[in-house]
Amino acid sequence: AKVAVCRRIQQSCKMLAAQQGSLARGCGVRSPKPFTSAPVQRGSLQVCNAITRQKKEEIVQHLKEKLDDSIIVFGMRFKGLSVSTVQKFRKGLPESASMFVCKNNLMKVAVSQTEGWSSLPDAGCKGENAWVFVNEENIQDVVKHYFKFEDDLFADAKKTAAKNVEVKKPTELAVVIMDNKVLTPADLRKCENLPTKKQLLATIAGLAKQPATKIATGIKMVPTKLAIALKKVSELDEDQTKTVASVVKA
């Protein structure tokens, strides 16, 4: 008898549960989601945000290191260029030079934390730029490589353009900064004539092999040339029409 009563109680409980489930479905009430689902979702978003901030910090640090090692930085327009074309330019750079594409805001942050580049943001952090960092090792080679790249693209564009249609350069310089001063593209092109560090060292080594008389004569000339150079550079503050490149050439 007791067993029969227990079975009836169990059946009654099952029927009651089934009725409650049907009523809930009829009212549009859904069963709650597992408790762990919401915390897992929030945790994944936090990880993504942390990675994003970390990546930005890494990029800024990378840019700061490049700025510290560079004597010239210029931005080149790459909008409309194919990936293979940009990669071709990158691979043609000397090992000591590099190219980096980033958001302008990140470049501004890097510049604000690095001395000697305060004129770069206002002059060049606009539009889409591929930044080229040039150190003292291969100024001449980098400048020649860029202008050959620009000229070749322009020539190819002219060949494929329709008649009587104005052809724009596929790429051009957005800004050039040297010694915290803005240079024009013409100024940068003049840097093709600058000797490389290797050439300067070779010249010094050659002087060391000269007779003592010639070495003494060369040493006497150094202060004079240095004084003239310093005087001409100081004239930049007085005559704003002059550029660093024009002073170097003179």
Side-chain angles (χ1 to χ4, degrees):
K2 291 182 179 180
V3 174
V5 172
C6 290
R7 288 179 178 176
R8 289 178 182 177
I9 292 174
Q10 290 177 353
Q11 290 176 354
S12 298
C13 290
K14 290 181 179 180
M15 291 176 63
L16 180 61
Q19 290 175 358
Q20 290 177 345
S22 299
L23 180 61
R25 287 191 295 272
C27 295
V29 179
R30 296 182 179 180
S31 60
K33 294 182 179 181
F35 177 76
T36 57
S37 61
V40 169
Q41 186 177 10
R42 288 198 299 269
S44 62
L45 288 175
Q46 290 174 359
V47 171
C48 290
N49 290 336
I51 292 175
T52 300
R53 289 195 298 270
Q54 181 181 358
K55 185 63 177 178
K56 288 180 179 179
E57 292 174 357
E58 291 175 355
I59 292 174
V60 169
Q61 182 60 34
H62 177 76
L63 291 172
K64 289 168 59 178
E65 292 174 358
K66 291 297 182 182
L67 290 169
D68 281 334
D69 293 338
S70 299
I71 191 170
I72 296 176
V73 173
F74 64 85
M76 55 176 283
R77 302 298 190 192
F78 67 92
K79 187 175 181 179
L81 300 182
S82 65
V83 175
S84 59
T85 300
V86 175
Q87 289 297 332
K88 180 181 179 181
F89 173 80
R90 186 196 299 270
K91 292 179 180 179
L93 289 170
E95 292 184 3
S96 60
S98 61
M99 185 184 78
F100 195 80
V101 178
C102 67
K103 291 185 177 180
N104 289 325
N105 287 338
L106 296 180
M107 176 59 87
K108 290 179 180 179
V109 173
V111 167
S112 67
Q113 300 176 8
T114 310
E115 294 183 1
W117 301 98
S118 58
S119 60
L120 190 150
D122 293 338
C125 287
K126 303 170 186 177
E128 298 179 351
N129 293 309
W131 298 101
V132 180
F133 300 89
V134 189
N135 63 20
E136 61 183 5
E137 295 288 342
N138 296 100
I139 297 176
Q140 182 188 73
D141 294 338
V142 175
V143 173
K144 286 183 177 180
H145 174 62
Y146 169 76
F147 282 109
K148 184 179 186 306
F149 176 76
E150 179 187 288
D151 294 342
D152 289 347
L153 286 182
F154 193 29
D156 292 340
K158 287 181 178 179
K159 291 179 182 178
T160 57
K163 292 183 178 180
N164 301 324
V165 175
E166 183 181 358
V167 180
K168 295 182 179 180
K169 290 184 176 181
T171 185
E172 60 183 358
L173 292 169
V175 64
V176 183
I177 304 294
M178 177 182 181
D179 193 26
N180 207 23
K181 291 181 173 62
V182 180
L183 303 185
T184 66
D187 293 333
L188 182 64
R189 192 181 283 272
K190 292 176 182 178
C191 291
E192 290 180 345
N193 300 322
L194 292 178
T196 64
K197 185 177 181 180
K198 185 177 180 180
Q199 289 172 334
L200 289 174
L201 292 175
T203 301
I204 294 173
L207 288 173
K209 296 178 181 179
Q210 298 296 325
T213 305
K214 291 186 178 181
I215 295 177
T217 304
I219 292 175
K220 289 180 181 178
M221 293 176 64
V222 171
T224 305
K225 290 185 177 181
L226 180 59
I228 294 173
L230 291 174
K231 182 177 183 300
K232 289 186 176 182
V233 171
S234 66
E235 292 173 357
L236 287 173
D237 295 332
E238 300 174 2
D239 187 355
Q240 297 298 322
T241 62
K242 292 184 179 181
T243 64
V244 175
S246 63
V247 170
V248 171
K249 185 176 180 180

